[in-house]
Structures are given as C-alpha cells and as structure tokens.
Amino acid sequence: MTHVEDELTSQPECWTRAATEAARHAGVLPAPGERVAIVGCGTSYFMAQAVAALREGAGLGETDAFAASEFPYGRTYDRVVALTRSGTTTEVVDLLRQVKGSTRTTALTADPTTPVMAVADDVVVLDFADEQSVVQTRFATTALTLLRAHLGLHSAGVVADARTALATPLPEGLVGCTQFTFLGRGWTVGLANEAGLKMREASLAWTEAYPAMEYRHGPISITTHGTATWMLGEAPEGLAEQVRETGGTWVPGILDPLAELVRVQRLAVAVAAARGLDPDQPRHLTRSVILARP
C-alpha cells in the first residue's frame, strides 16, 4: 500500500477526531460577524474556497478565499485564517509576517515545529492528520472538517458517507477514461477544483473543474466517449441527461460532497496504478514549496 492509500483510508477517523476537537479551538477560529480571509496554496487554497463559501452561505460573515500569493493587502479583515499542512510554505509564511500586528491570524497546520508557529497569532495543530505523502488527502479534508464543525455544518452522516466511499467499488470503466471533469456548486466548487488537482498530481490525468452551471458554456464541447463528468453535490436540472447525450460518462454525487472527494482520491490512485505510476512520487512536486531567497 502506498502512503497516499494508507492516509486517505484513515480519513473517517481523522474527521471524527477533528469534529470532536472543534469546540476546544473555537476561541481562535472565526467568530460570527467577523470579516475573514482564508488563504492557502494548492490543495489548501481549494479548501479555503470551500470554507469561505460555507461560512458566508451560513450567514456568519463576509468571507473571502485567496491563494496566499494573491492576497489583497489593501483590504481590511478582522482575521486571516491560513491553511498550511507543512507550516513552511513561503507564500503563507510571508503573508502572515506582513499582516502580523495589524490583523489577527490563525494558522491550521500539521507540524508544531515549523515557522508558522512563530508568525501566526494563533495556531491549531492537527498533527494526527499529518502525512508522509507529497499529495495531500487527509490533512486537507480534516482541516475542512474542523472548520465545518466550527460552523455547525458537520454531522456523523458525513463520516458514515466517507466509510461508504472507501468501501464501495468505483464505477465500472472509470479508470480507463481519458479525461475527467469535476463540477461543483457553492462550497463544492472548491472541492471540484481539488478533485481535478488530485487527479493531475497523482496520475498525470487530463482534468478540468468548473462551477456546474458554467459547464454548458463551452466545456461540455470536450465531452464524448471515453470522458467522465463527475458532480460533487446536487446537479443542475437536466445536466446529467445532456452529458449522457454526448456519449460521456456521468458520475452523480451520491454521498456528502466531502465523501465524494474521497472517492476521487481513490480514483486518482487507481488511475496511477493503471498507468504504471507511483502516486507517492508525483512528477516535479515536493511536499512543500520553499522559495530560495536572492
């Protein structure tokens, strides 16, 4: 078993623990009414998109998500929340240093021995969800679960769906597809973006991701026999039928969207195996991006 496989299968346990610990960290997480920016890089950025949509959609306060390198320093926020598994990513550490003293910051990380511990005002350490893999799975979804629980939007059914996602076979023929498109709505747009990234990282697959209603505005033109379109969450009316009419494979979201992401993680590993790739050794990638200083 690869590290990725071992880590992704542990997610139900990690999510259960994170949900239990959310109340303990409530004092350093965004309070109702705060204006919040959530930042990250790569997978963490896509989790930030999901959390921002969940929080604002629940009426708990204006919430934006940014790639750390694109943070708008001219805007005013009550709190910046940084998601960083390694705690060493250059763009995240630089951002936290720049806003220190002017904006309250909270970092969610997996490693309590890294620079983020010194530059963030508050830190939540999810060391039980740390990973050996370059490709993120359980840390990202555990951080999202902790924040989802903090917002009052987590339930035991999410964990049950994750167990189903791990135990149920993937749809027949999916591994042999040549192209994959992931669709989301609202908070699941971030999950769709992450699904596409996971497939690219682990299996070098051709993937795309879009808000579901945007799919008809051009992207559907690539859909045909041998392609797959996977919906994370509830699909817009009539879209499944349109995809099937192209000859493409439609994969409905049958579980909680975060559990659907677990199914995609499994698909990424399966496609990698079918192509003779090692998902623990993704091409051109490292566990953390640390930029050299001139």
Side-chain angles (χ1 to χ4, degrees):
M1 181 177 288
T2 63
H3 292 313
V4 173
E5 289 174 284
D6 181 55
E7 290 157 1
L8 74 85
T9 57
S10 69
Q11 287 174 108
E13 292 73 28
C14 289
W15 297 1
T16 298
R17 180 169 174 180
T20 300
E21 294 188 1
R24 180 163 64 88
H25 298 295
V28 301
L29 296 175
E34 285 187 334
R35 188 167 189 252
V36 176
I38 308 176
V39 302
C41 298
T43 289
S44 293
Y45 170 44
F46 297 142
M47 296 297 102
Q49 291 178 330
V51 175
L54 279 172
R55 184 173 185 269
E56 189 157 320
L60 295 173
E62 184 176 344
T63 315
D64 296 320
F66 302 102
S69 59
E70 298 298 320
F71 183 75
Y73 289 96
R75 294 189 186 181
T76 301
Y77 290 97
D78 299 310
R79 184 180 298 272
V80 171
V81 177
L83 307 182
T84 171
R85 176 182 65 174
S86 69
T88 60
T89 303
T90 298
E91 299 100 301
V92 173
V93 173
D94 284 353
L95 186 160
L96 292 173
R97 284 197 179 111
Q98 289 190 58
V99 302
K100 194 173 182 66
S102 61
T103 305
R104 193 75 187 176
T105 59
T106 299
L108 275 66
T109 188
D111 190 339
T113 65
T114 53
V116 75
M117 301 296 292
V119 294
D121 296 313
D122 303 300
V123 182
V124 176
V125 178
L126 303 174
D127 51 356
F128 60 90
D130 201 0
E131 299 161 326
Q132 295 186 58
S133 300
V134 172
V135 176
Q136 282 199 57
T137 54
R138 73 182 179 193
F139 174 76
T141 60
T142 299
L144 176 53
T145 297
L146 179 101
L147 292 166
R148 206 176 169 190
H150 172 67
L151 299 174
L153 300 174
H154 173 80
S155 70
V158 178
V159 176
D161 276 3
R163 297 190 190 281
T164 299
L166 292 169
T168 305
L170 293 170
E172 187 176 352
L174 204 56
V175 171
C177 287
T178 58
Q179 189 275 343
F180 303 87
T181 299
F182 299 97
L183 305 177
R185 301 179 81 179
W187 75 282
T188 72
V189 172
L191 299 188
N193 288 333
E194 168 58 10
L197 177 63
K198 206 54 50 205
M199 293 290 294
R200 291 192 290 274
E201 289 178 326
S203 64
L204 305 182
W206 170 21
T207 68
E208 298 180 347
Y210 302 96
M213 290 297 288
E214 286 296 302
Y215 191 55
R216 298 180 177 96
H217 295 274
I220 196 171
S221 63
I222 65 168
T223 308
T224 187
H225 298 280
T227 71
T229 303
W230 193 319
M231 184 71 214
L232 285 85
E234 185 178 354
E237 185 177 354
L239 185 56
E241 291 74 18
Q242 284 182 273
V243 170
R244 293 188 181 107
E245 287 171 1
T246 69
T249 297
W250 172 260
V251 184
I254 57 176
L255 303 171
D256 179 87
L258 194 58
E260 285 293 317
L261 182 59
V262 175
R263 296 176 73 204
V264 177
Q265 293 169 349
R266 290 182 56 216
L267 176 63
V269 171
V271 172
R275 296 180 178 184
L277 301 171
D278 180 357
D280 284 341
Q281 300 292 329
R283 191 169 67 182
H284 310 317
L285 297 179
T286 57
R287 190 173 183 275
S288 175
V289 177
I290 302 174
L291 303 178
R293 298 301 187 190

